[in-house]
Amino acid sequence: MSPLSLLILSILTGSALGQYYDYGSYLDPAHLLGPPGPNCVEECDCPMNFPSAMYCDGRGLKSIPSIAPGIKYLYLQNNQIEEIKAGAFDNVTDLRWLILDNNRIASSKVEKGAFDKLASLERLLFSYNELTEPVGPLAKSLIELKMIGNKISKIPAEMMLGLENLTSFHLQENELTTEGIIGAFEGLKSLHYLDISQNKLGKLPAAMPKSVQMLYADNNNIDSLLKDYLEKLPQLQYLRIAHNALTDSGIPAGVFNVSSLIELDLSFNKLESIPEVNENLENLYLQVNDISKFDLGSFCKVIGPVNYSKLRHLRLDGNHLTRSSVPFDVSNCLRQAAELTVESTD
């Protein structure tokens, strides 16, 4: 059956949907930045009008080349680098960005002390390598850490100590387990964004810093939540737990009734009913569950001039609902909604 879209009141233009956090490209093409500087190794480019950058990406390198002093932005992605020796960065103690994505570096091939002198490092991109645990210790100046698509199964809590300025941590597409991340994030006092999607987690991580605003845990094996989990995250705005194993019995009553939450994604789970959400929630995704009843009380306990849901987008397609499942007075409760999508699986 084709989707049934109910447009409630006027469609709001420019609605701000929460999106997956993405810095986009870090690169400015080296060939657009002028001729190379005199101190650059032959394998890389160091543009004279951007003397603090060294472009060594996609050069077939098997080891980290000699790095000229003064380099702050080092691009080493898309090579065949297999190891990092202890003195590899001794000449560039003021390095700010280090990009090592798409190489062949294993944790056992990162020598002890390799990052010790990088006291000003702000961004470390270490995705799509062969890491089995995070590299470290790292400087407390670090703001962003990406280790997507590795083989990380655990994060020793002591490896994260001191990273009090880290705001963005990307760990999706690894092999993390619930036991493997105990205490791992507790000391990250400035953490705003955490992506642990596509791992092997059975629960959301415990002992999270109160600063977290975006938590993405799609494509795991999460089957339940603790009743006070979100109450301990007073700044959380975006929560995504799609493609997991959540059931009604695993979701305590009122667990999502927190005023800070703007977007909640529970699609592709095993829910049989719509969970209670706070009136401040703006985006709710519940597609492809086993929901057979549209309970307006999940959104509005009281309906009145100043009592109504702020919900703008509601996805319920892929459940056991039809047009007749939608209550006649839905527009009184969901008066700010732009779209409500229902599609029966029957």
Side-chain angles (χ1 to χ4, degrees), residues 62-101:
K62 295 186 177 181
S63 60
I64 294 178
S66 176
I67 309 167
I71 295 298
K72 295 182 180 180
Y73 308 96
L74 180 57
Y75 301 91
L76 289 164
Q77 72 274 23
N78 302 321
N79 283 292
Q80 301 170 30
I81 299 171
E82 296 183 355
E83 64 178 358
I84 302 178
K85 294 188 176 297
F89 306 114
D90 284 1
N91 287 338
V92 282
T93 56
D94 198 29
L95 194 67
R96 307 294 175 83
W97 293 10
L98 176 56
I99 304 180
L100 289 160
D101 293 345

Short mmCIF file of all heavy atoms in Angstrom, two decimals, residues 62-101:
data_model
loop_
_atom_site.label_atom_id
_atom_site.label_comp_id
_atom_site.label_asym_id
_atom_site.label_seq_id
_atom_site.Cartn_x
_atom_site.Cartn_y
_atom_site.Cartn_z
N LYS A 62 54.06 4.27 2.20
CA LYS A 62 54.03 3.12 3.11
C LYS A 62 54.53 3.48 4.50
O LYS A 62 54.48 2.67 5.42
CB LYS A 62 54.84 1.98 2.52
CG LYS A 62 54.24 1.43 1.22
CD LYS A 62 54.97 0.20 0.73
CE LYS A 62 54.30 -0.36 -0.52
NZ LYS A 62 55.00 -1.58 -1.01
N SER A 63 55.03 4.69 4.64
CA SER A 63 55.47 5.17 5.94
C SER A 63 55.26 6.68 5.99
O SER A 63 55.07 7.33 4.96
CB SER A 63 56.95 4.84 6.18
OG SER A 63 57.77 5.45 5.19
N ILE A 64 55.31 7.24 7.19
CA ILE A 64 55.13 8.68 7.34
C ILE A 64 56.40 9.38 6.90
O ILE A 64 57.49 9.08 7.39
CB ILE A 64 54.78 9.01 8.80
CG1 ILE A 64 53.40 8.42 9.13
CG2 ILE A 64 54.79 10.52 9.03
CD1 ILE A 64 52.96 8.62 10.55
N PRO A 65 56.30 10.32 5.98
CA PRO A 65 57.50 10.99 5.47
C PRO A 65 58.07 11.99 6.47
O PRO A 65 57.45 12.29 7.50
CB PRO A 65 56.98 11.71 4.22
CG PRO A 65 55.55 12.01 4.56
CD PRO A 65 55.07 10.83 5.36
N SER A 66 59.24 12.49 6.16
CA SER A 66 59.83 13.55 6.97
C SER A 66 58.96 14.80 6.87
O SER A 66 58.56 15.20 5.78
CB SER A 66 61.25 13.85 6.47
OG SER A 66 61.80 14.93 7.18
N ILE A 67 58.68 15.41 8.01
CA ILE A 67 57.77 16.55 8.04
C ILE A 67 58.54 17.81 8.39
O ILE A 67 59.24 17.85 9.40
CB ILE A 67 56.64 16.32 9.06
CG1 ILE A 67 55.99 14.96 8.83
CG2 ILE A 67 55.60 17.42 8.96
CD1 ILE A 67 55.10 14.52 9.97
N ALA A 68 58.41 18.83 7.56
CA ALA A 68 59.13 20.07 7.78
C ALA A 68 58.59 20.80 9.00
O ALA A 68 57.38 20.79 9.26
CB ALA A 68 59.02 20.96 6.54
N PRO A 69 59.46 21.46 9.77
CA PRO A 69 59.00 22.26 10.92
C PRO A 69 58.02 23.34 10.47
O PRO A 69 58.12 23.86 9.36
CB PRO A 69 60.29 22.87 11.46
CG PRO A 69 61.37 21.95 11.00
CD PRO A 69 60.93 21.45 9.66
N GLY A 70 57.08 23.66 11.33
CA GLY A 70 56.11 24.70 11.01
C GLY A 70 54.80 24.18 10.44
O GLY A 70 53.84 24.94 10.29
N ILE A 71 54.73 22.91 10.12
CA ILE A 71 53.51 22.33 9.57
C ILE A 71 52.47 22.19 10.68
O ILE A 71 52.75 21.66 11.75
CB ILE A 71 53.78 20.96 8.91
CG1 ILE A 71 54.71 21.13 7.70
CG2 ILE A 71 52.48 20.29 8.50
CD1 ILE A 71 54.13 22.00 6.60
N LYS A 72 51.26 22.66 10.40
CA LYS A 72 50.16 22.57 11.37
C LYS A 72 49.02 21.67 10.87
O LYS A 72 48.21 21.21 11.68
CB LYS A 72 49.61 23.96 11.67
CG LYS A 72 50.60 24.87 12.38
CD LYS A 72 49.97 26.22 12.68
CE LYS A 72 50.96 27.14 13.39
NZ LYS A 72 50.36 28.47 13.71
N TYR A 73 48.97 21.45 9.57
CA TYR A 73 47.89 20.66 8.98
C TYR A 73 48.51 19.60 8.08
O TYR A 73 49.08 19.91 7.03
CB TYR A 73 46.94 21.56 8.19
CG TYR A 73 46.46 22.74 9.00
CD1 TYR A 73 47.10 23.99 8.91
CD2 TYR A 73 45.39 22.61 9.88
CE1 TYR A 73 46.67 25.06 9.67
CE2 TYR A 73 44.96 23.68 10.65
CZ TYR A 73 45.60 24.90 10.54
OH TYR A 73 45.18 25.96 11.31
N LEU A 74 48.38 18.35 8.49
CA LEU A 74 49.07 17.26 7.80
C LEU A 74 48.05 16.26 7.26
O LEU A 74 47.27 15.67 8.02
CB LEU A 74 50.03 16.56 8.76
CG LEU A 74 50.85 15.40 8.21
CD1 LEU A 74 51.67 15.82 6.99
CD2 LEU A 74 51.75 14.83 9.31
N TYR A 75 48.05 16.08 5.94
CA TYR A 75 47.09 15.22 5.27
C TYR A 75 47.80 13.96 4.76
O TYR A 75 48.58 14.01 3.81
CB TYR A 75 46.45 15.96 4.09
CG TYR A 75 45.75 17.23 4.50
CD1 TYR A 75 46.42 18.46 4.52
CD2 TYR A 75 44.41 17.20 4.87
CE1 TYR A 75 45.77 19.61 4.90
CE2 TYR A 75 43.76 18.37 5.25
CZ TYR A 75 44.43 19.57 5.26
OH TYR A 75 43.80 20.72 5.64
N LEU A 76 47.51 12.84 5.38
CA LEU A 76 48.17 11.57 5.04
C LEU A 76 47.15 10.49 4.67
O LEU A 76 47.50 9.30 4.64
CB LEU A 76 49.01 11.09 6.23
CG LEU A 76 50.28 11.89 6.53
CD1 LEU A 76 50.80 11.57 7.93
CD2 LEU A 76 51.35 11.60 5.49
N GLN A 77 45.94 10.86 4.38
CA GLN A 77 44.91 9.88 4.09
C GLN A 77 45.12 9.21 2.73
O GLN A 77 45.85 9.71 1.88
CB GLN A 77 43.52 10.51 4.17
CG GLN A 77 43.17 11.47 3.03
CD GLN A 77 43.65 12.87 3.29
OE1 GLN A 77 44.56 13.11 4.06
NE2 GLN A 77 43.01 13.81 2.61
N ASN A 78 44.46 8.06 2.56
CA ASN A 78 44.46 7.33 1.28
C ASN A 78 45.86 6.92 0.84
O ASN A 78 46.27 7.13 -0.30
CB ASN A 78 43.80 8.17 0.19
CG ASN A 78 42.37 8.56 0.54
OD1 ASN A 78 41.63 7.76 1.11
ND2 ASN A 78 42.00 9.79 0.23
N ASN A 79 46.60 6.33 1.78
CA ASN A 79 47.91 5.78 1.48
C ASN A 79 47.96 4.32 1.93
O ASN A 79 46.91 3.69 2.14
CB ASN A 79 49.00 6.61 2.16
CG ASN A 79 49.29 7.91 1.43
OD1 ASN A 79 49.82 7.90 0.32
ND2 ASN A 79 48.94 9.04 2.05
N GLN A 80 49.14 3.79 2.08
CA GLN A 80 49.33 2.40 2.51
C GLN A 80 50.21 2.34 3.75
O GLN A 80 50.95 1.39 3.97
CB GLN A 80 49.95 1.58 1.37
CG GLN A 80 49.11 1.57 0.10
CD GLN A 80 49.85 0.98 -1.08
OE1 GLN A 80 50.71 0.11 -0.92
NE2 GLN A 80 49.51 1.43 -2.28
N ILE A 81 50.11 3.37 4.58
CA ILE A 81 50.93 3.46 5.79
C ILE A 81 50.52 2.37 6.77
O ILE A 81 49.34 2.16 7.03
CB ILE A 81 50.76 4.86 6.43
CG1 ILE A 81 51.24 5.94 5.45
CG2 ILE A 81 51.53 4.95 7.75
CD1 ILE A 81 50.92 7.35 5.89
N GLU A 82 51.51 1.68 7.33
CA GLU A 82 51.25 0.55 8.21
C GLU A 82 51.70 0.78 9.65
O GLU A 82 51.28 0.03 10.54
CB GLU A 82 51.93 -0.72 7.67
CG GLU A 82 51.39 -1.16 6.32
CD GLU A 82 52.03 -2.45 5.84
OE1 GLU A 82 52.96 -2.93 6.53
OE2 GLU A 82 51.60 -2.97 4.81
N GLU A 83 52.54 1.78 9.89
CA GLU A 83 53.05 1.98 11.24
C GLU A 83 53.33 3.45 11.51
O GLU A 83 53.46 4.26 10.59
CB GLU A 83 54.33 1.17 11.46
CG GLU A 83 55.48 1.60 10.57
CD GLU A 83 56.75 0.81 10.83
OE1 GLU A 83 56.73 -0.05 11.74
OE2 GLU A 83 57.75 1.04 10.14
N ILE A 84 53.38 3.79 12.80
CA ILE A 84 53.76 5.14 13.23
C ILE A 84 54.84 4.99 14.28
O ILE A 84 54.60 4.46 15.37
CB ILE A 84 52.57 5.92 13.81
CG1 ILE A 84 51.43 6.01 12.80
CG2 ILE A 84 53.01 7.32 14.23
CD1 ILE A 84 50.21 6.74 13.32
N LYS A 85 56.04 5.43 13.96
CA LYS A 85 57.16 5.31 14.89
C LYS A 85 57.11 6.45 15.91
O LYS A 85 56.52 7.50 15.68
CB LYS A 85 58.48 5.31 14.13
CG LYS A 85 58.66 4.07 13.24
CD LYS A 85 60.05 4.01 12.65
CE LYS A 85 60.25 2.73 11.85
NZ LYS A 85 60.14 1.53 12.71
N ALA A 86 57.78 6.23 17.02
CA ALA A 86 57.72 7.16 18.15
C ALA A 86 58.16 8.58 17.78
O ALA A 86 57.61 9.55 18.30
CB ALA A 86 58.55 6.63 19.31
N GLY A 87 59.11 8.74 16.90
CA GLY A 87 59.62 10.07 16.58
C GLY A 87 59.05 10.68 15.33
O GLY A 87 59.57 11.70 14.85
N ALA A 88 57.96 10.12 14.81
CA ALA A 88 57.43 10.55 13.52
C ALA A 88 57.02 12.02 13.49
O ALA A 88 57.12 12.68 12.46
CB ALA A 88 56.24 9.68 13.13
N PHE A 89 56.59 12.55 14.64
CA PHE A 89 56.08 13.92 14.66
C PHE A 89 56.92 14.85 15.54
O PHE A 89 56.45 15.92 15.94
CB PHE A 89 54.64 13.92 15.16
CG PHE A 89 53.74 13.00 14.39
CD1 PHE A 89 53.18 11.88 15.01
CD2 PHE A 89 53.45 13.21 13.06
CE1 PHE A 89 52.36 11.02 14.33
CE2 PHE A 89 52.62 12.36 12.35
CZ PHE A 89 52.07 11.25 12.99
N ASP A 90 58.15 14.49 15.80
CA ASP A 90 59.00 15.29 16.68
C ASP A 90 59.28 16.68 16.15
O ASP A 90 59.51 17.62 16.93
CB ASP A 90 60.32 14.57 16.94
CG ASP A 90 60.17 13.42 17.93
OD1 ASP A 90 59.04 13.21 18.39
OD2 ASP A 90 61.17 12.74 18.24
N ASN A 91 59.26 16.87 14.83
CA ASN A 91 59.56 18.17 14.24
C ASN A 91 58.35 19.10 14.17
O ASN A 91 58.49 20.26 13.78
CB ASN A 91 60.12 18.00 12.82
CG ASN A 91 61.53 17.45 12.82
OD1 ASN A 91 62.24 17.58 13.82
ND2 ASN A 91 61.93 16.84 11.72
N VAL A 92 57.18 18.57 14.50
CA VAL A 92 55.96 19.38 14.31
C VAL A 92 55.13 19.39 15.60
O VAL A 92 53.98 18.95 15.62
CB VAL A 92 55.13 18.85 13.12
CG1 VAL A 92 55.73 19.28 11.81
CG2 VAL A 92 54.99 17.33 13.17
N THR A 93 55.71 19.91 16.63
CA THR A 93 55.04 19.92 17.93
C THR A 93 53.82 20.85 17.96
O THR A 93 53.02 20.77 18.90
CB THR A 93 56.02 20.35 19.03
OG1 THR A 93 56.59 21.62 18.68
CG2 THR A 93 57.15 19.33 19.15
N ASP A 94 53.68 21.71 16.94
CA ASP A 94 52.54 22.62 16.87
C ASP A 94 51.47 22.11 15.91
O ASP A 94 50.59 22.87 15.48
CB ASP A 94 53.00 24.02 16.45
CG ASP A 94 51.98 25.10 16.79
OD1 ASP A 94 51.23 24.92 17.77
OD2 ASP A 94 51.91 26.10 16.06
N LEU A 95 51.52 20.84 15.56
CA LEU A 95 50.55 20.27 14.63
C LEU A 95 49.13 20.38 15.19
O LEU A 95 48.88 20.05 16.35
CB LEU A 95 50.89 18.80 14.37
CG LEU A 95 50.20 18.13 13.18
CD1 LEU A 95 50.68 18.74 11.87
CD2 LEU A 95 50.46 16.62 13.17
N ARG A 96 48.20 20.85 14.35
CA ARG A 96 46.80 21.03 14.78
C ARG A 96 45.89 19.94 14.22
O ARG A 96 45.04 19.43 14.93
CB ARG A 96 46.28 22.40 14.33
CG ARG A 96 47.17 23.57 14.76
CD ARG A 96 47.20 23.77 16.27
NE ARG A 96 48.13 24.81 16.65
CZ ARG A 96 47.86 26.11 16.64
NH1 ARG A 96 46.67 26.54 16.25
NH2 ARG A 96 48.77 26.99 17.01
N TRP A 97 46.05 19.62 12.93
CA TRP A 97 45.23 18.60 12.28
C TRP A 97 46.12 17.47 11.78
O TRP A 97 47.14 17.71 11.12
CB TRP A 97 44.48 19.16 11.09
CG TRP A 97 43.42 20.17 11.39
CD1 TRP A 97 43.16 20.79 12.59
CD2 TRP A 97 42.46 20.68 10.47
NE1 TRP A 97 42.12 21.66 12.47
CE2 TRP A 97 41.66 21.62 11.18
CE3 TRP A 97 42.20 20.47 9.13
CZ2 TRP A 97 40.61 22.32 10.57
CZ3 TRP A 97 41.16 21.16 8.51
CH2 TRP A 97 40.37 22.07 9.23
N LEU A 98 45.70 16.25 12.06
CA LEU A 98 46.41 15.07 11.56
C LEU A 98 45.37 14.12 10.98
O LEU A 98 44.52 13.60 11.71
CB LEU A 98 47.20 14.40 12.68
CG LEU A 98 47.91 13.08 12.33
CD1 LEU A 98 48.86 13.27 11.15
CD2 LEU A 98 48.65 12.55 13.55
N ILE A 99 45.45 13.90 9.67
CA ILE A 99 44.45 13.08 8.98
C ILE A 99 45.12 11.82 8.44
O ILE A 99 45.98 11.88 7.56
CB ILE A 99 43.77 13.87 7.86
CG1 ILE A 99 43.15 15.15 8.45
CG2 ILE A 99 42.71 13.03 7.17
CD1 ILE A 99 42.44 16.03 7.46
N LEU A 100 44.71 10.69 8.97
CA LEU A 100 45.32 9.39 8.65
C LEU A 100 44.29 8.39 8.12
O LEU A 100 44.54 7.19 8.11
CB LEU A 100 45.99 8.82 9.90
CG LEU A 100 47.27 9.52 10.36
CD1 LEU A 100 47.56 9.21 11.82
CD2 LEU A 100 48.46 9.12 9.49
N ASP A 101 43.17 8.87 7.66
CA ASP A 101 42.11 7.99 7.18
C ASP A 101 42.58 7.11 6.03
O ASP A 101 43.43 7.51 5.22
CB ASP A 101 40.91 8.81 6.68
CG ASP A 101 40.21 9.56 7.81
OD1 ASP A 101 40.45 9.23 8.98
OD2 ASP A 101 39.41 10.46 7.48
#
